[in-house]
Amino acid sequence: MRSDLATGLAYPSATGGVAQFLSDFIGWYLLLDDKMESLIQPDFTQPSLSSVFDRYLHALTEPDASGGDPQDGLLQGALDLGARLRALGSPAWRARFCGSMRTYFYRGVLAEVEHRGARTVPGLREYVELRAESSGSYPIFDLIEVASGQELPATVAEHPAMRELRKVAAVVISWANDVLSFHKERRRPHALNLPGLLMHHQGMDDEHALQRSVLMHNEEMRWFVAIKQQLLGWSGADGVAVRSWLHGLDVVMRGLLEWQLLAARYTHGRSLDLRVVGDRTAEQSISL
């Protein structure tokens, strides 16, 4: 998994205990993600998974959280991370982080598991929303503030343009991940993945589906740059914390892409040439 590599690339300014926490959190998230991806049984009902997430969220965010099933390694990890997390950020930041984890659990992962259990494939518009939430990007973005030691003012964090920027950044990360992990995902039954979705709904072969996915990634990246430029021109973005966070978001997006190009979690079995032909006259590649 190389969560240490992901941390160093995504949060290069973090040091000491903060860097260790970030690496441990990413490792915990990846283990959780793998467990959730394996849940495709139709009888794995949403209420039972909701109760699991209730316990994990309580462990991460509540001061009175303790105990639980000692055999549930993910729960014990959440308890450990939650105790350390409370020393890293303000109550306002922790509330935002809790909201991001809630979105990931209940609006992202639950919906994906439900689709896999029902053997259904969402439409593209639904998948854009679903993938941004199930990717776990929003908590990763919140942790930029912990890594830098600079918390965003609430008025900035909740600004509509900032929320749109976060969403587009999450989609960019998701499409890159869907391309770079397609060789693995296509071997899993009922996996949700952008190239697979295009193959299902538009009848594309795998090569053209990958090409279209790369083009969609680059379109979102251009939209991300445009929104960020608008934010940089906004008077509310003059503060050190805001500019630090915007720079940190660039670094996280690039760092996670670099990590996926290097870590065996994604490279094992991959023979993808990232340069793909968009048409007969132009060559397209993932924008770095």
Side-chain angles (χ1 to χ4, degrees):
M1 289 185 176
R2 293 303 309 272
S3 62
D4 58 334
L5 177 63
T7 302
L9 291 169
Y11 308 105
S13 64
T15 59
V18 172
Q20 186 65 61
F21 171 84
L22 293 169
S23 180
D24 292 347
F25 176 83
I26 290 173
W28 177 85
Y29 159 73
L30 292 173
L31 289 169
L32 175 68
D33 184 61
D34 286 349
K35 181 177 181 179
M36 294 302 108
E37 286 184 349
S38 70
L39 301 178
I40 59 172
Q41 304 93 326
D43 60 345
F44 197 93
T45 60
Q46 185 165 314
S48 66
L49 187 53
S50 293
S51 65
V52 171
F53 288 160
D54 289 344
R55 292 194 293 273
Y56 291 170
L57 192 62
H58 184 82
L60 282 170
T61 60
E62 298 300 326
D64 64 345
S66 62
D69 182 359
Q71 300 304 311
D72 186 342
L74 286 169
L75 177 59
Q76 297 304 314
L79 287 166
D80 174 72
L81 290 168
R84 294 154 65 191
L85 186 70
R86 286 184 281 279
L88 295 179
S90 70
W93 177 84
R94 290 197 299 272
R96 291 204 305 274
F97 179 80
C98 177
S100 295
M101 289 301 300
R102 184 177 291 108
T103 293
Y104 165 67
F105 284 145
Y106 301 111
R107 293 174 54 182
V109 179
L110 276 178
E112 283 202 351
V113 171
E114 187 177 53
H115 273 295
R116 290 200 297 271
R119 310 296 196 259
T120 55
V121 180
L124 182 58
R125 181 173 298 180
E126 178 188 352
Y127 186 62
V128 171
E129 300 292 331
L130 171 60
R131 192 69 177 92
E133 294 168 344
S134 69
S135 67
S137 296
Y138 295 143
I140 295 296
F141 297 161
D142 293 331
L143 290 171
I144 295 170
E145 297 169 72
V146 168
S148 68
Q150 299 278 349
E151 290 192 13
L152 289 171
T155 53
V156 174
E158 299 302 323
H159 192 279
M162 183 67 83
R163 291 200 297 270
E164 179 67 10
L165 186 72
R166 284 165 58 95
K167 177 184 173 182
V168 175
V171 173
V172 170
I173 289 172
S174 298
W175 288 174
N177 178 264
D178 280 8
V179 168
L180 296 175
S181 62
F182 180 60
H183 65 290
K184 294 194 312 176
E185 299 295 317
R186 67 188 308 174
R187 295 194 294 267
R188 291 198 304 109
H190 313 294
L192 294 181
N193 182 278
L194 180 60
L197 203 79
L198 294 172
M199 293 169 68
H200 177 86
H201 288 303
Q202 300 184 19
M204 296 181 179
D205 59 27
D206 54 0
E207 180 181 357
H208 285 93
L210 281 168
Q211 291 173 10
R212 180 56 189 153
S213 297
V214 170
L215 291 172
M216 290 174 65
H217 168 279
N218 293 348
E219 289 166 5
E220 289 293 326
M221 190 66 200
R222 285 188 284 271
W223 180 227
F224 169 84
V225 171
I227 298 172
K228 183 185 171 187
Q229 290 303 314
Q230 292 177 1
L231 271 170
L232 287 172
W234 173 47
S235 60
D238 288 340
V240 173
V242 180
R243 291 185 175 270
S244 173
W245 188 87
L246 290 171
H247 173 69
L249 182 59
D250 286 345
V251 175
V252 162
M253 294 170 70
R254 173 62 184 248
L256 292 179
L257 178 58
E258 297 267 7
W259 169 62
Q260 291 173 90
L261 293 172
L262 296 171
R265 174 183 175 86
Y266 297 101
T267 61
H268 182 69
R270 185 173 68 206
S271 59
L272 174 67
D273 182 351
L274 294 182
R275 295 174 303 168
V276 295
V277 178
D279 54 45
R280 292 182 180 272
T281 59
E283 190 177 67
Q284 301 290 338
S285 62
I286 287 185
S287 295
L288 301 179

